[in-house]
Amino acid sequence: MKVMKYFVFASLLCLCACSDDNDNKNNEIPQDLVELKVDASEISIAQGDTRTVKITSGNGEYVVTSANEEVVTAEVNGDLVTLTAVEGQNNAQGVVYVRDKYYQRAKILVNTAAEFELKLNKTLFTLYSQVEGADEAIVKIYTGNGGYSLEVVDENNCIEVDQSTLEDSESFIVKGIAQGNAEVKITDRKVLSI
């Protein structure tokens, strides 16, 4: 009986000691590896509101994880990450991680509040009509409370406003088409305006 136990133990030891020399290939860096990047590493979202972050480069098969689901929830569809701020967590922070098929990670810091001050990347632009590269500006809303609307005051018909990206990316494009002054008023759902 002792010999039988020894034989079984020796057989298991031999099986465990065997390995495939190709196992190391999982530790090598793939030749087609692309750095995982997102277009916003920090974002502010009003409670109950949803914002999207675009994955600008990566290796596909994306997975998102919220480290603080009581603050922010996350879903991924293709290269878009949808973030939703949970109501009730005032002035809180959450972290969402994006991972690709090669286990690279990108981090998105999410700030939430019941109400945010309305802020833009810039509030004054000088545009030159018919000058390529100087005739338009992208206006980005940094913080606000969602539900944005625009009111254009342009007596001289000197600008065109493209607001097709206002809902999705919280930005819009102003293009200079003639000489003059114009104003664009932005209002959010809390009726804060700038």
Side-chain angles (χ1 to χ4, degrees):
M1 191 67 165
K2 251 185 188 179
V3 174
M4 184 65 159
K5 286 183 185 177
Y6 176 74
F7 179 72
V8 170
F9 177 72
S11 297
L12 287 173
L13 187 60
C14 288
L15 288 174
C16 293
C18 294
S19 71
D20 187 359
D21 290 338
N22 291 333
D23 281 350
N24 193 30
K25 72 178 180 184
N26 291 334
N27 293 330
E28 295 174 5
I29 297 174
Q31 290 183 358
D32 62 343
L33 181 74
V34 177
E35 184 180 356
L36 178 60
K37 292 182 182 178
V38 293
D39 69 353
S41 59
E42 184 171 358
I43 195 165
S44 297
I45 310 173
Q47 292 177 6
D49 203 8
T50 298
R51 302 265 307 264
T52 58
V53 173
K54 185 172 177 55
I55 300 169
T56 56
S57 67
N59 300 289
E61 298 179 24
Y62 302 112
V63 176
V64 292
T65 306
S66 174
N68 316 81
E69 288 198 344
E70 67 279 358
V71 175
V72 61
T73 60
E75 295 177 3
V76 65
N77 186 5
D79 63 353
L80 291 178
V81 178
T82 303
L83 306 169
T84 303
V86 177
E87 295 205 36
Q89 295 296 326
N90 196 25
N91 298 320
Q93 283 190 330
V95 178
V96 172
Y97 294 98
V98 181
R99 189 187 80 215
D100 68 12
K101 70 178 179 180
Y102 292 133
Y103 295 93
Q104 293 189 96
R105 290 193 331 168
K107 180 173 84 169
I108 305 167
L109 179 63
V110 180
N111 301 301
T112 69
E115 184 174 289
F116 282 103
E117 182 181 348
L118 187 56
K119 290 184 184 177
L120 307 176
N121 62 332
K122 198 170 175 183
T123 57
L124 182 62
F125 294 93
T126 301
L127 303 174
Y128 299 95
S129 62
Q130 301 175 5
V131 177
E132 188 69 32
D135 64 341
E136 65 181 34
I138 298 174
V139 181
K140 178 89 175 140
I141 300 170
Y142 277 148
T143 60
N145 301 293
Y148 302 106
S149 63
L150 302 180
E151 178 187 343
V152 179
V153 179
D154 183 10
E155 295 173 1
N156 302 317
N157 293 324
C158 61
I159 64 170
E160 289 178 349
V161 178
D162 177 3
Q163 49 185 310
S164 61
T165 58
L166 185 61
E167 190 65 35
D168 293 335
S169 65
E170 298 190 344
S171 64
F172 58 94
I173 298 171
V174 179
K175 183 170 183 163
I177 56 171
Q179 188 173 348
N181 293 319
E183 191 176 302
V184 180
K185 182 178 178 183
I186 303 137
T187 306
D188 69 12
R189 69 177 175 192
K190 299 274 187 179
V191 197
L192 297 176
S193 59
I194 191 167

